[in-house]
Amino acid sequence: MEKPSITASAVINFAEKLEEDSSRFYEELAKRYGQSKDLFLSFAKESIDNKIFVSRTYRETITDAIEACFSFKGLNLNDYKFETTLAEGTSYSDALRKAMELEEKASKFWLDIAEQSASLLATIPRAFRKVAEKRSNRKMKIKSLFKSS
Amino acid sequence: MAVLDEPIKEVLAIKNCIGGEWVESKGELIEVVNPATCKVIARVPISTKEEINAAVEAAKEAFPEWRSTPPLARARCLLRLRELMEERFEELSRIQTMEHGKTIDESRGETRRGIENVEVAAGIPSLMMGYNLEDVAAGIDEYVIRQPLGVFGIIGPFNFPFMVPLWFAPYAVAAGNCIIVKPSSEDPISQAKIAEMTEEAGIPAGVWNVVNGGRDVVNGMLDHPGINGICFVGSTPVGKDVIYRRCGETGKRVISQCGAKNFLVLMPDADIEKTIAACMTSFFGNTGQRCLAGANLVVVGEGLSEHQYEALYDKFVDKFVSVASTIKVGYGLDESVQMGPLRDKKKKERVAGAIQKGVEEGAKLRLDGRKIELAGKWPHDCFLNPTVFEDVAPDMVIGRDEIFGPVASIMRVRTFDEAIETIHRNPFGNSAAIFTSNGKWARDFRYNVQCGNIGINIGLVAPMAFFPFSGMKNSFFGVLHGQGQEAIRFFTESKVVIERWF
């Protein structure tokens, strides 16, 4: 049985939502855990920048000739969904653990979609890889916070 | 997946834009229907000959001042137009989906290609430069000046309501001409939106006019002595026997881009996975309603034994059918949808008729798009699913004639030379593509095939704005093409000056 493809539009929509949710998540962390407020706020801002960057790249690159509706084969977006709501009373270290999980999932999403679309979507996969790198760096920073907490 | 918000909330009353005024037409109104939902989204007038005459007069009046406006100032108007299009990118794209039916990815792609033409035309100060040579004889210099001609008519097709008029309009206007756009009456909303933006971009009244309608408007344009040239994109019978012939009779310049039957050639060494993705876009993108769409897929067995060829053919066709059967069909504003409806019910019936003809002629129907499965609950009126035939012969109706719908015809040929002969037997010559890893085959294909747009491992051979949109044989009538430098040459006259001072 052939795995169906999904459209670039659906993937970009999901990606935008992922970055918006991530931004809100880090804003919440900044409110609750003052000791790392600046870092969390910088992550929140970076996620909004990521969203703008990827949407802009998609809109500037998309043409009717590229295989936009057939570039992501067998990709299940549900695999990358992440609950970003933080329960009341979550400890700082649990919040960091959740942030690391989020970053793990997000960078995997960005890398997977970059790989899947590499030969079909012109410069769009390069933008995906760039965001994956940023999210991976973010994970390293959270990891070091976690170790020192 | 949820449907994106529709930008058209109430039925629009489309007017004509003549001399900077939005004018109600005296002609009858017809309904513009969203083919996915079957809801009326606009009413468009079938304008009269008098109205086209009024538009020509307005354009003629605006011409002297516009042609003497510095090219840089004209370019700045286009750059402002570009900015406005970027600001309204999403709205413009969704309107195309609503009025035409294409998916949102396809509409955004169309908006982008349209904007690219505006960007390229904004390079007019360089593009329009002439050339010179000193001392062609002692003390005598000679030079060429490019000058605008006056008024041009642009007749758009239904399949790309936003982009196709922009293959011509920004170049004509950048060069100092005035234009009258006649959009397809099936989907005229995009061109009305563009005309609104030209006003905001500072393009003077009368330079960019829009007159909606049908045959009377086209005839009015063709007959009017005040129109210097016509750009047309549409069917071959109209493009050849009406537009090209009448422009010849009345001494108008003409670009007439017409129908197609495009071949994709699969060589035994092609990358199957990537070829399949390219084929899906080519055959089923825009629901097959484009002059660059793949129509015939030729599987070539060059250098293979009978057994090897059968294995390759079966593997490829099975995969092709399997992937085509997963294509999600529905309303294009649902972002998960990969193929939208046909533009209207009549078009669907015509395509369904072609499918039936294929069955009667003995082609093997591997995937029957008449069995409709949709993502979402939409009226079936304009929808078809992808159709795949195999064992199609080039002289069958489905192998020979333009279907303009989501139908793929797969053919067998044993050699590369036979594949080229098969392409050449067809009267059209818009585009052809080869899928191979062999540079020699690719080079021979590019060199020999008589088609205007050649793809090498590219399924949809759509030229960028800075290249001409070519075409040969029954796919193109004229000399110069739309887009890029050729459009600038089309919209300007080369005046030669030979100068001596005593």
Side-chain angles (χ1 to χ4, degrees):
Chain A
M1 184 68 185
E2 198 66 38
K3 287 180 182 169
S5 302
I6 57 173
T7 65
S9 182
V11 170
I12 296 293
N13 184 313
F14 182 87
E16 287 173 346
K17 189 165 180 319
L18 175 71
E19 292 300 324
E20 277 170 12
D21 289 349
S22 300
S23 180
R24 271 195 295 274
F25 174 73
Y26 285 111
E27 275 175 5
E28 186 61 28
L29 257 59
K31 268 187 221 159
R32 290 200 202 179
Y33 313 105
Q35 61 267 52
S36 305
K37 185 182 168 190
D38 290 348
L39 186 66
F40 292 147
L41 284 178
S42 74
F43 290 166
K45 183 183 177 302
E46 187 182 70
S47 272
I48 295 302
D49 290 347
N50 290 345
K51 180 194 153 186
I52 293 168
F53 170 63
V54 168
S55 314
R56 195 180 57 217
T57 306
Y58 161 70
R59 286 193 181 166
E60 286 180 353
T61 311
I62 183 95
T63 75
D64 62 331
I66 60 177
E67 292 83 358
C69 290
F70 302 95
S71 302
F72 303 93
K73 201 171 170 190
L75 190 77
N76 185 356
L77 292 174
N78 288 326
D79 293 346
Y80 305 95
K81 278 189 177 155
F82 191 84
E83 178 51 61
T84 50
T85 316
L86 210 55
E88 281 303 315
T90 305
S91 70
Y92 179 58
S93 58
D94 281 349
L96 291 177
R97 206 173 281 126
K98 191 171 171 102
M100 283 190 288
E101 283 169 28
L102 168 63
E103 294 311 321
E104 180 74 38
K105 199 158 238 188
S107 47
K108 182 166 175 9
F109 166 73
W110 287 109
L111 281 176
D112 286 352
I113 61 172
E115 194 188 328
Q116 285 223 2
S117 58
S119 63
L120 298 174
L121 280 189
T123 53
I124 300 172
R126 198 185 305 157
F128 295 161
R129 279 194 296 274
K130 199 169 173 184
V131 179
E133 198 182 322
K134 283 185 187 174
R135 305 275 325 221
S136 181
N137 289 341
R138 207 187 272 187
K139 191 184 152 198
M140 300 307 288
K141 287 179 189 167
I142 300 167
K143 208 172 182 176
S144 78
L145 275 187
F146 184 76
K147 278 182 184 164
S148 60
S149 70
Chain B
M1 204 159 186
V3 170
L4 295 169
D5 189 42
E6 294 181 329
I8 301 170
K9 308 280 186 206
E10 54 192 42
V11 179
L12 303 174
I14 305 290
K15 293 180 183 174
N16 293 329
C17 179
I18 299 175
E21 300 290 328
W22 287 94
V23 192
E24 263 183 44
S25 168
K26 291 189 178 100
E28 64 159 320
L29 295 176
I30 59 167
E31 290 177 338
V32 179
V33 175
N34 178 335
T37 62
C38 291
K39 286 184 183 154
V40 175
I41 53 173
R43 289 194 178 84
V44 62
I46 299 300
S47 305
T48 62
K49 218 164 184 173
E50 289 69 40
E51 285 158 344
I52 191 74
N53 291 344
V56 177
E57 289 313 311
K60 277 169 67 183
E61 201 183 319
F63 176 62
E65 198 177 317
W66 183 241
R67 74 156 285 193
S68 62
T69 301
L72 197 56
R74 296 198 299 256
R76 286 189 181 124
C77 288
L78 288 176
L79 289 170
R80 283 196 291 273
L81 177 62
R82 174 200 178 275
E83 283 312 304
L84 292 165
M85 287 175 168
E86 291 287 0
E87 279 170 24
R88 296 172 66 177
F89 185 95
E90 189 59 20
E91 178 202 346
L92 293 168
S93 302
R94 290 185 192 185
I95 285 172
Q96 288 157 53
T97 295
M98 289 186 75
E99 68 175 337
H100 174 273
K102 59 186 68 188
T103 70
I104 189 65
D105 266 326
E106 289 164 348
S107 293
R108 289 176 187 145
E110 180 175 349
T111 309
R112 176 56 51 207
R113 290 239 177 209
I115 291 174
E116 282 166 2
N117 277 284
V118 178
E119 287 169 335
V120 172
I124 198 68
S126 309
L127 292 170
M128 206 176 160
M129 277 179 184
Y131 50 95
N132 62 62
L133 186 68
E134 287 184 331
D135 296 317
V136 291
I140 300 178
D141 305 328
E142 185 165 339
Y143 49 99
V144 165
I145 303 166
R146 292 208 169 120
Q147 294 187 326
L149 285 96
V151 182
F152 284 85
I154 297 167
I155 302 165
F158 80 87
N159 60 339
F160 286 93
F162 180 85
M163 173 187 74
V164 167
L166 295 175
W167 289 350
F168 314 107
Y171 302 98
V173 167
N177 300 287
C178 299
I179 57 167
I180 300 157
V181 180
K182 190 211 85 66
S184 165
S185 53
E186 293 177 46
D187 43 17
I189 305 168
S190 293
Q191 290 306 311
K193 295 289 168 190
I194 292 174
E196 276 171 25
M197 287 186 283
T198 63
E199 235 178 301
E200 211 179 327
I203 294 174
V207 172
W208 194 306
N209 306 278
V210 178
V211 178
N212 294 284
R215 201 169 289 173
D216 281 352
V217 173
V218 172
N219 285 332
M221 281 182 172
L222 290 168
D223 292 340
H224 204 297
I227 289 191
N228 300 76
I230 296 285
C231 303
F232 167 84
V233 176
S235 72
T236 296
V238 176
K240 183 183 178 185
D241 298 330
V242 180
I243 305 291
Y244 186 60
R245 187 173 59 79
R246 300 255 303 269
C247 283
E249 286 166 3
T250 54
K252 289 177 176 38
R253 291 186 174 199
V254 62
I255 294 175
S256 184
Q257 298 188 197
C258 301
K261 189 74 178 174
N262 303 312
F263 288 73
L264 273 66
V265 173
L266 180 89
M267 298 304 288
D269 60 350
D271 179 322
I272 300 277
E273 282 289 326
K274 288 171 186 162
T275 300
I276 294 275
C279 284
M280 293 302 121
T281 295
S282 182
F283 284 90
F284 306 118
N286 217 40
T287 323
Q289 299 169 112
R290 61 178 156 209
C291 60
L292 292 174
N296 292 337
L297 179 64
V298 183
V299 183
V300 181
E302 178 89 42
L304 301 180
S305 68
E306 197 59 41
H307 174 72
Q308 286 170 322
Y309 178 48
E310 283 305 311
L312 167 82
Y313 179 86
D314 289 344
K315 182 184 168 194
F316 182 79
V317 174
D318 288 349
K319 181 112 185 135
F320 188 99
V321 171
S322 178
V323 176
S325 67
T326 67
I327 289 177
K328 207 168 168 183
V329 182
Y331 186 11
L333 285 183
D334 172 344
E335 290 182 286
S336 67
V337 160
Q338 292 164 302
M339 194 176 96
L342 277 297
R343 215 334 285 165
D344 62 38
K345 201 173 175 178
K346 270 190 188 164
K347 289 180 175 64
K348 172 192 164 164
E349 284 163 2
R350 200 181 46 75
V351 176
I355 296 170
Q356 185 55 33
K357 187 79 185 158
V359 173
E360 288 163 11
E361 286 185 315
K364 191 171 167 189
L365 183 58
R366 287 289 306 267
L367 187 63
D368 188 351
R370 295 171 298 181
K371 292 174 187 158
I372 298 165
E373 279 180 44
L374 301 181
K377 287 182 181 169
W378 308 108
H380 286 197
D381 299 42
C382 305
F383 283 102
L384 282 174
N385 281 67
T387 292
V388 182
F389 279 105
E390 65 168 316
D391 292 335
V392 176
D395 54 355
M396 289 178 181
V397 169
I398 55 166
R400 188 190 62 215
D401 294 352
E402 184 172 44
I403 297 175
F404 227 57
V407 180
S409 297
I410 302 178
M411 301 174 173
R412 301 170 192 250
V413 304
R414 285 311 310 258
T415 67
F416 176 79
D417 289 343
E418 272 178 74
I420 293 186
E421 277 169 31
T422 306
I423 295 171
H424 286 170
R425 279 212 303 275
N426 192 279
F428 293 107
N430 216 33
S431 87
I434 185 170
F435 288 85
T436 180
S437 307
N438 180 322
K440 174 76 165 69
W441 279 333
R443 198 263 176 191
D444 286 352
F445 191 84
R446 169 181 64 75
Y447 190 83
N448 290 309
V449 171
Q450 290 157 25
C451 286
N453 304 288
I454 297 292
I456 296 170
N457 296 316
I458 296 286
L460 192 66
V461 196
M464 296 294 288
F466 26 89
F467 288 101
F469 192 106
S470 194
M472 292 179 182
K473 296 161 69 181
N474 272 359
S475 295
F476 177 77
F477 300 92
V479 178
L480 295 164
H481 303 87
Q483 299 198 139
Q485 277 283 3
E486 290 205 16
I488 300 298
R489 285 177 58 202
F490 180 78
F491 291 117
T492 55
E493 188 71 87
S494 294
K495 183 181 276 181
V496 176
V497 181
I498 304 171
E499 187 176 279
R500 173 169 63 186
W501 292 91
F502 298 111

